[in-house]
């Protein structure tokens, strides 16, 4: 909450922001009828400051790309019927308010980092989703907003001192993608990078009501890729050679390939193949969601041995079929439990 009478003629919002995300809503304030409002959005890595005093929307964008995981000092200003954005002291071009109105009439509610699920912002376009970011030092007209001024907090977590691109799985849950079900069929190529210090954990599973399924998991420090085309489970295992280990907290690149009855697993460029005795069985007829990092207790996974949720980070998940590549952002998951998109603790290797 803030005193909305102070922002009628002049609005200055300052904050520090760190994010790897390319889009999301940073702040929003509006009148009950949403005719007057002010908002700051991140769109394709750039900041867009929007405001309307009731007679039409004015927008100014800053050319700097800030989705680099570094801290940036951001200031948006509206005064004397003009609006600007400053990033690390450098200003965008100013934009003038439309019409003859000269007061910003808004409620005293300041939405930071996103909007409540039951609130629809009508006039700010489609960047209304919350932003996975660290935000600190928020000031409205030079007055620091303390935690005590919050009347509602939803899905707000602590920030890591150092962060890198990746999605953090805390070992208690999973992410569920493709609610309508993913069809593996004859061919799929699954690629992603992972880092963990745990010796066991589910990486990914796609199953069906029958036995058809594919699964990736870490068991005792080995990566295992299982496929069942309906005639029985086939497994290929990657065992690190010599003194190298996979559960060392460093990033590792994984590629799991199923092509009809052939299966192969490549970790950090080292390929392993498996001989499939069921050559006549070529299609995994899956129709369940893609579960990543674990799966619910009441869901059967025909190609996973472990129930242990993954603890670590994943990034760049892609499922490729022929010419079609589906890249998955964990923010688009329909269930996220113990999973924190776009922020992985620790410095880049």
């Amino acid at each position: 909450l803030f005193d909305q009478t102070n922002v009628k003629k002049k609005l200055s919002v300052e904050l520090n922001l760190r994010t790897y995300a390319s889009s999301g809503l940073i702040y929003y304030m509006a009148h009950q009828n949403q005719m007057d409002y002010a908002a700051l959005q991140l769109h394709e890595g750039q900041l867009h400051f929007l405001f309307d005093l009731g007679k039409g929307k004015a927008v100014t964008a800053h050319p700097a790309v800030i989705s680099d995981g570094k801290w940036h000092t951001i200031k948006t200003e509206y005064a004397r019927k003009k609006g600007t954005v400053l990033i690390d002291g450098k200003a965008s071009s100013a934009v003038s308010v439309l019409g003859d109105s000269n007061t910003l009439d808004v409620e005293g509610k300041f939405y930071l980092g996103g909007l409540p699920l039951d609130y629809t912002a009508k006039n700010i376009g489609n960047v209304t989703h919350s932003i996975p970011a660290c935000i600190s030092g928020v000031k409205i007209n030079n007055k620091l907003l303390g935690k005590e001024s919050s009347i509602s907090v939803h899905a707000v977590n602590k920030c890591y001192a150092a962060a890198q691109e990746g999605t953090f799985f805390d070992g208690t849950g999973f992410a569920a993608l493709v609610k309508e079900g993913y069809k593996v069929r004859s061919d799929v190529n699954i690629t992603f990078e992972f880092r963990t210090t745990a010796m066991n954990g589910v990486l990914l599973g796609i199953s069906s009501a029958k036995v058809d399924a594919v699964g990736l998991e870490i068991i005792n420090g080995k990566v295992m890729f299982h496929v069942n085309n309906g005639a029985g489970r086939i497994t290929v295992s990657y065992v690190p050679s010599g003194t190298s280990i996979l559960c060392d907290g460093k990033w590792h690149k994984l590629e799991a390939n199923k092509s009809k009855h052939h299966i192969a697993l490549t970790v950090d460029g080292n390929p392993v193949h498996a001989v499939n005795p069921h050559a006549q069985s070529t299609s995994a007829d899956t129709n369940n969601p893609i579960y990543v990092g674990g799966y619910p207790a009441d869901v059967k996974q025909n190609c996973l041995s472990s129930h242990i949720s993954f603890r670590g980070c994943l990034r760049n998940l892609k499922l490729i079929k022929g010419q079609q590549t589906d890249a998955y952002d964990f923010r688009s998951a329909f269930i996220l439990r113990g999973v924190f998109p776009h922020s992985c603790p620790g410095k880049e290797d």
Side-chain angles (χ1 to χ4, degrees), residues 299-319:
V299 169
K300 190 168 64 134
Q301 287 291 338
N302 297 318
C303 273
L304 289 170
S305 311
S306 177
H307 289 277
I308 300 169
S309 288
F310 175 73
R311 181 178 168 82
C313 294
L314 260 70
R315 65 186 181 192
N316 300 332
L317 172 64
K318 292 180 185 141
L319 272 71

Side-chain angles (χ1 to χ4, degrees), residues 167-179 202-206 289-296 301 309-310 314 317 328-341:
T167 289
F168 179 57
F169 291 71
D170 72 2
T172 67
F174 59 89
L177 301 155
V178 192
K179 194 172 191 177
V202 169
L203 293 170
L204 180 145
I206 313 169
I290 302 169
Y291 289 103
V292 183
Y295 54 97
Q301 287 291 338
S309 288
F310 175 73
L314 260 70
L317 172 64
Y328 292 101
D329 186 328
F330 286 108
R331 277 198 299 168
S332 68
F334 68 91
I335 306 174
L336 282 177
R337 288 189 195 149
V339 178
F340 306 94

Side-chain angles (χ1 to χ4, degrees), residues 17 36 65 78 101 225:
L17 181 102
D36 288 33
V65 173
Y78 153 71
S101 179
F225 178 37

Side-chain angles (χ1 to χ4, degrees), residues 177-184 206-207 286-290 334:
L177 301 155
V178 192
K179 194 172 191 177
E180 66 277 13
Y182 186 88
K183 294 170 174 54
V184 171
I206 313 169
S207 203
T286 61
N287 52 12
N288 286 6
I290 302 169
F334 68 91

Side-chain angles (χ1 to χ4, degrees), residues 194-210:
F194 70 93
R195 61 182 286 241
T196 184
T197 54
M199 296 293 280
N200 295 278
V202 169
L203 293 170
L204 180 145
I206 313 169
S207 203
S208 67
K210 301 182 294 180

Side-chain angles (χ1 to χ4, degrees), residues 35-36 51-58 97-103:
M35 294 293 285
D36 288 33
F51 60 99
D52 190 332
L53 308 192
K55 297 291 176 72
K57 175 166 66 179
V97 68
L98 299 185
D100 54 4
S101 179
N102 58 10
T103 58

